[in-house]
Amino acid sequence: MYRLWLGGILLAAVGMMLTGGTARAGGWALVTLDSLPVQPRAEQAIALGFMVRRHGVTPINDVGGARITPVVIASNTSGDGLVRVEARQEGVVGHFVADITFPSAGVWEWQIAPEPFPPTRLEALIILTVSGAAPPSLEGAGTTAQGPAVTIPGPTAAIAGGGGGTGRRSELRWLGLALLMTSATLVVARRVARLPRPRRGS
């Protein structure tokens, strides 16, 4: 009987190990921009293309039959504007495009949330004025219309969820919990095995 009990607990622990870290959001995803916006201006429409890859490997359009809905969310650090744009699937599997217009110049913080996955936070964008000049808040700070308007590093890839590490840390926490439960179960099982068994009547 105790073997059936032990098997049930071990099965539950393994289930947590395999699904616990991905139950709420289907794991994590890697969002990679096709290219960087070059000196974007206020009131200028930008077609932002990007790829969504599950676990950084497999391009995906849906999770468990449910369509992925990537949303670009941006806010001006001065409090002057908030933009939320839903992207559309276009081209190959996992490729999306969002048409976004920043209504005002300034420094914009932004992220891409390929729902149901957590958001990918990208480094701030400097949006120039309509005429192509630096935002008033940055004048005198060495920023010009000829300077780089974007400060996103590398190939602009980040793991969804708090700049790249949150998704993995969550999975590792679940994995650690599952391993802890498995270890505790084995300890209990050993103690149960050492208990004297009732003798069968002759």
Side-chain angles (χ1 to χ4, degrees):
M1 185 66 152
Y2 77 93
R3 290 182 179 178
L4 292 176
W5 172 79
L6 173 61
I9 292 183
L10 286 175
L11 185 60
V14 171
M16 282 189 64
M17 188 182 303
L18 295 176
T19 64
T22 61
R24 290 179 297 175
W28 54 273
L30 188 77
V31 175
T32 308
L33 296 181
D34 294 348
S35 61
L36 300 176
V38 179
Q39 298 184 346
R41 301 184 183 188
E43 302 180 16
Q44 179 185 61
I46 300 172
L48 186 69
F50 56 90
M51 289 289 298
V52 177
R53 294 182 176 87
R54 187 168 191 170
H55 299 155
V57 178
T58 307
I60 52 172
N61 288 342
D62 60 79
V63 177
R67 184 174 65 91
I68 291 176
T69 307
V71 178
V72 180
I73 305 170
S75 61
N76 194 317
T77 57
S78 67
D80 182 24
L82 176 66
V83 176
R84 180 184 174 91
V85 177
E86 185 174 314
R88 64 185 182 278
Q89 200 281 322
E90 185 177 285
V92 299
V93 173
H95 186 262
F96 297 85
V97 176
D99 297 315
I100 183 170
T101 301
F102 295 92
S104 59
V107 179
W108 286 74
E109 294 180 345
W110 64 313
Q111 62 184 18
I112 299 177
E115 299 174 355
F117 297 103
T120 294
R121 299 183 187 279
L122 304 172
E123 289 194 23
L125 277 174
I126 298 176
I127 304 300
L128 306 179
T129 64
V130 176
S131 63
S137 60
L138 296 179
E139 287 181 355
T143 302
T144 66
Q146 287 73 37
V150 184
T151 56
I152 303 175
T156 322
I159 298 173
T166 303
R168 276 188 172 175
R169 284 196 296 270
S170 177
E171 288 191 344
L172 289 176
R173 281 196 296 268
W174 277 104
L175 180 60
L177 178 61
L179 291 175
L180 182 62
M181 288 184 60
T182 303
S183 299
T185 301
L186 291 176
V187 171
V188 172
R190 288 178 181 176
R191 292 183 179 179
V192 171
R194 292 175 184 172
L195 294 177
R197 298 184 184 181
R199 297 181 178 178
R200 296 181 180 179
S202 56

